[in-house]
Amino acid sequence: CPLSSAFAPRRAAKAAPARLEVVHDQDMLQICRMCALRGQRTALVHLVPNGEERALPLRELRDCQLYLRTSYLHALSEMPRQMHQDPKEVLKDGCIIHTAHVTILRGDLKDGAQWTEPAEIEVLTAALQRTPLGDGHEQYARIREKAQVSKTIDDIFSSAAQWGIEVLVFPPLGVNGAPAGCYHPPADAGQLLRHAAAAGGDVQVYVAKQQLGPLIGWASFADAVTNGRAALKREAPVPLHLSPYYNCYLGKQKPPDFFKFTLRPSLTKRGVAKES
């Protein structure tokens, strides 16, 4: 029977960087099952929107893989009784929910969810902001929101170290609604995961999709996790003398009239244009 508990991870110095690998041809549960059958203690990272009530967990195929193919759905119904707390409030406070003895029972849904050899894993549930503000360069626009995501990832690695996890399987961190309808800048989110794994301790980390298939932003996220995000290309600023706002102030002692465009005095002296 799955057993859930909530705790605030303790930060500890990591001895070595984690081994990080992006998997393109297997989904998360396939990787978890493979590692569990090899005898490795495996944990799947389950991310949910922070501070929101979800009416039904089976609302989307990408999200329902964990609920339909494993015994985690039963764990959800038992969480309040086992923890003596509301799971939503626990996650809102920044804690991690550790669920042990979750069994993978079925195969991929597209193949008919056939019964398979049972494999026992663990699940680390954490909250992620649904829609942080991003910019046009695939990076977080607010430092506070980026720092919160970084803290959540660090807490997951700290939790894995506390529970003796050998293999961690991460989903895409908010890439085009995966997971749970979260939308994060792919390149910046991948860089945060790569940076956290560099001090994640002696653990094997796999990053994979929840469901195989096209996913917008996955290529950018996977490249940032593997190689680090590329340097931003900065465009040259507009020369100061070409700015109409700067030209309006040249030779003016009173506040300019922005409803009337004024050329530079040098052009006026040459007779190109005269101020009306």
Side-chain angles (χ1 to χ4, degrees):
C1 178
L3 179 63
S4 300
S5 60
F7 65 99
R10 298 189 302 270
R11 297 298 177 87
K14 309 298 190 303
R19 300 175 298 280
L20 188 60
E21 181 179 347
V22 178
V23 181
H24 299 274
D25 57 352
Q26 290 180 296
D27 63 35
M28 295 178 63
L29 287 176
Q30 288 174 337
I31 297 173
C32 288
R33 182 175 180 275
M34 176 187 67
C35 295
L37 291 178
R38 288 200 303 238
Q40 295 176 298
R41 191 169 179 182
T42 305
L44 182 146
V45 177
H46 179 48
L47 299 174
V48 299
N50 189 11
E52 296 184 15
E53 283 284 2
R54 302 186 60 184
L56 287 174
L58 308 179
R59 63 177 187 178
E60 187 182 351
L61 184 61
R62 289 183 302 191
D63 294 343
C64 71
Q65 295 272 343
L66 179 62
Y67 303 105
L68 291 182
R69 296 170 57 185
T70 73
S71 59
Y72 187 73
L73 186 59
H74 176 62
L76 279 180
S77 63
E78 295 291 325
M79 275 185 186
R81 182 182 65 84
Q82 293 174 349
M83 299 190 304
H84 304 286
Q85 301 177 75
D86 184 359
K88 187 189 74 169
E89 296 300 325
V90 169
L91 294 173
K92 188 175 180 180
D93 292 338
C95 296
I96 305 292
I97 298 179
H98 171 263
T99 305
H101 310 302
V102 176
T103 306
I104 300 176
L105 301 171
R106 292 181 176 270
D108 198 347
L109 293 181
K110 68 179 181 181
D111 298 328
Q114 300 293 326
W115 294 101
T116 61
E117 179 184 355
E120 188 173 292
I121 64 172
E122 301 170 46
V123 177
L124 296 176
T125 304
L128 198 66
Q129 184 179 352
R130 183 180 287 278
T131 52
L133 184 64
D135 62 10
H137 301 286
E138 291 192 11
Q139 63 182 4
Y140 293 93
R142 295 192 178 109
I143 298 298
R144 180 178 299 177
E145 294 176 345
K146 182 176 181 178
Q148 184 59 44
V149 177
S150 179
K151 177 183 179 300
T152 300
I153 301 174
D154 288 340
D155 287 346
I156 292 172
F157 278 103
S158 299
S159 303
Q162 287 181 231
W163 288 97
I165 301 299
E166 298 176 302
V167 178
L168 264 179
V169 183
F170 272 88
L173 298 180
V175 176
N176 195 37
C182 297
Y183 292 84
H184 288 239
D188 225 6
Q191 179 66 22
L192 288 179
L193 180 55
R194 176 181 174 85
H195 184 268
D202 187 17
V203 61
Q204 174 67 53
V205 179
Y206 293 104
V207 183
K209 301 177 185 177
Q210 295 171 299
Q211 178 193 2
L212 295 180
L215 180 62
I216 298 175
W218 167 255
S220 176
F221 174 79
D223 183 66
V225 172
T226 305
N227 306 311
R229 70 167 300 166
L232 295 178
K233 295 181 180 179
R234 301 291 185 181
E235 299 292 339
V238 177
L240 189 61
H241 68 277
L242 296 179
S243 171
Y245 300 101
Y246 176 75
N247 294 331
C248 288
Y249 280 99
L250 287 179
K252 298 284 186 178
Q253 299 297 329
K254 59 181 180 179
D257 183 6
F258 288 100
F259 292 98
K260 181 173 66 175
F261 181 77
T262 305
L263 294 176
R264 288 184 297 164
S266 59
L267 297 179
T268 305
K269 292 178 181 180
R270 295 174 187 175
V272 178
K274 293 185 179 180
E275 188 178 19
S276 57

